[in-house]
Amino acid sequence: MEKIIKNLEDFFNKETVVGYCFILPNFIGFLIFTSLPIVASMILSFTEWDIFSAPKFIGLENYFHLFWFHVRHGMTFSSWFDYIAVWRYIEANDPDFWYFLYNTVFMMIGIPLGMIGSLFLAIIMNRALRGIYFFRTIYFLPTVSSAVAIALLWRWIYNPDYGMLNTMLASIGIIGPPWLNHPVWAKISLIIMGLWTSIGGYSMLLYLAALQGIPQHLYEAADIDGANFWQKFRHITVPLISPTTFFIFIMGVISGFQGGFQNAYLMTRGGPAQATTTIEYYIYNNAFVWFHMGKASALAWFLFLIIFVVTLFNWKYGGKKVTYTYI
């Protein structure tokens, strides 16, 4: 009893109350603008709601429609072989969903390419060259530029008739593809555009800070041992920047699943033939174009589940490769 009273006295002492008062505005804001919408989206995912009428409870039907499969019309299982080759007889309830999930994962090819490019650029920017601060600013500019301005710029670059890219290719005898008008090239175009804005961005700054945090005496000791650039990079630089690499990779994967809307909306409107439509774009269309709020909520929770599982997997297995200390 005395312990409980003491805990209550500690809880309500002056400093504690003042502390709670300071965090109260943020707590209220988090409760109203974050927690309640999360709970509401969970409830809506079990309903059919078009905004204009009252929500109708339909249980797991939204999830069943999105993720489950059915036997193709007119096909029956007549032998044991049919159950082995089951994929020939079934199809997804919502084939678009799986295609858009494939688009989302395909677009994430740019994550490792962006990390390699950012590290390469950070190594260059880490050198004591004249005017290095100017170049660091120049390479960071695409990150703070307007997304609409960047989209207009790249639409001109990718234009098949008068765009800069096809003009350059024509000068060396190569006929450029219709970048944004072909299902395959449209995906590649958005990946290249994403790399242009991300390589010199926050990843480069994080790598630059990590490189500047490596003790120079390690490189000096390696020089005395006769190590070349590649040996120093492999055995000193890579292990000591591994926490930064791990962080950038985790955030990149999360952003990859959550991204893909802005560039696709501005550049291709999700086309051609839905080739650049991602899961996030599909959520937008369901919620604000077709007013399928229940389905959009189910998609959002599925996306959360994917990100949660992938992040846990990365922490469990990727974290073992990270070096946090040096000898």
Side-chain angles (χ1 to χ4, degrees), residues 18 21 51 58 68 73 76 89 92 169 172 176 217 229 271 279 311:
V18 171
C21 289
I51 299 179
I58 57 174
W68 203 243
H73 180 69
T76 57
Y89 296 85
L169 292 174
I172 57 175
H217 69 264
F229 172 81
I279 290 294
T311 303

Side-chain angles (χ1 to χ4, degrees), residues 154-173:
W154 279 91
R155 283 180 66 86
W156 168 69
I157 292 175
Y158 284 137
N159 189 287
D161 299 323
Y162 55 82
M164 185 181 73
L165 193 52
N166 278 4
T167 303
M168 293 174 61
L169 292 174
S171 66
I172 57 175

Side-chain angles (χ1 to χ4, degrees), residues 92-165:
N93 291 342
D94 186 355
D96 288 342
F97 164 73
W98 296 102
Y99 181 54
F100 299 152
L101 181 60
Y102 159 75
N103 288 343
T104 304
V105 176
F106 187 91
M107 299 286 189
M108 292 168 67
I109 293 174
I111 294 174
L113 298 178
M115 292 175 65
I116 294 171
S118 298
L119 177 57
F120 177 74
L121 199 58
I123 291 173
I124 296 175
M125 295 296 110
N126 194 36
R127 294 180 176 274
L129 302 175
R130 178 175 294 182
I132 194 65
Y133 295 107
F134 171 77
F135 288 108
R136 289 176 184 173
T137 305
I138 290 295
Y139 281 112
F140 191 71
L141 274 180
T143 306
V144 296
S145 299
S146 165
V148 176
I150 292 174
L152 290 175
L153 172 67
W154 279 91
R155 283 180 66 86
W156 168 69
I157 292 175
Y158 284 137
N159 189 287
D161 299 323
Y162 55 82
M164 185 181 73
L165 193 52

Side-chain angles (χ1 to χ4, degrees), residues 3 19 33 40 52 116 123 264:
K3 186 177 181 180
F33 299 109
F52 305 105
I116 294 171
I123 291 173

Side-chain angles (χ1 to χ4, degrees), residues 137-289:
T137 305
I138 290 295
Y139 281 112
F140 191 71
L141 274 180
T143 306
V144 296
S145 299
S146 165
V148 176
I150 292 174
L152 290 175
L153 172 67
W154 279 91
R155 283 180 66 86
W156 168 69
I157 292 175
Y158 284 137
N159 189 287
D161 299 323
Y162 55 82
M164 185 181 73
L165 193 52
N166 278 4
T167 303
M168 293 174 61
L169 292 174
S171 66
I172 57 175
I174 299 175
I175 300 175
W179 294 97
L180 298 177
N181 299 322
H182 189 278
V184 175
W185 287 108
K187 288 187 179 72
I188 296 174
S189 301
L190 295 189
I191 291 172
I192 295 173
M193 177 182 166
L195 286 174
W196 182 76
T197 55
S198 65
I199 284 180
Y202 295 106
S203 297
M204 183 200 72
L205 289 182
L206 291 171
Y207 271 130
L208 186 60
L211 290 172
Q212 293 179 347
I214 298 176
Q216 290 302 307
H217 69 264
L218 297 177
Y219 291 115
E220 294 169 359
D223 288 334
I224 294 174
D225 292 337
N228 57 33
F229 172 81
W230 171 247
Q231 289 170 326
K232 288 187 287 186
F233 177 77
R234 179 183 176 187
H235 297 290
I236 297 175
T237 304
V238 171
L240 293 184
I241 65 171
S242 57
T244 302
T245 301
F246 184 60
F247 173 77
I248 293 174
F249 178 74
I250 290 284
M251 298 307 294
V253 171
I254 293 173
S255 300
F257 278 112
Q258 291 179 329
F261 171 75
Q262 179 177 274
N263 290 344
Y265 183 79
L266 294 172
M267 298 287 288
T268 61
R269 297 284 179 174
Q274 298 181 320
T276 55
T277 301
T278 61
I279 290 294
E280 190 184 35
Y281 204 124
Y282 197 34
I283 293 173
Y284 168 81
N285 281 338
N286 273 285
F288 303 111
V289 178

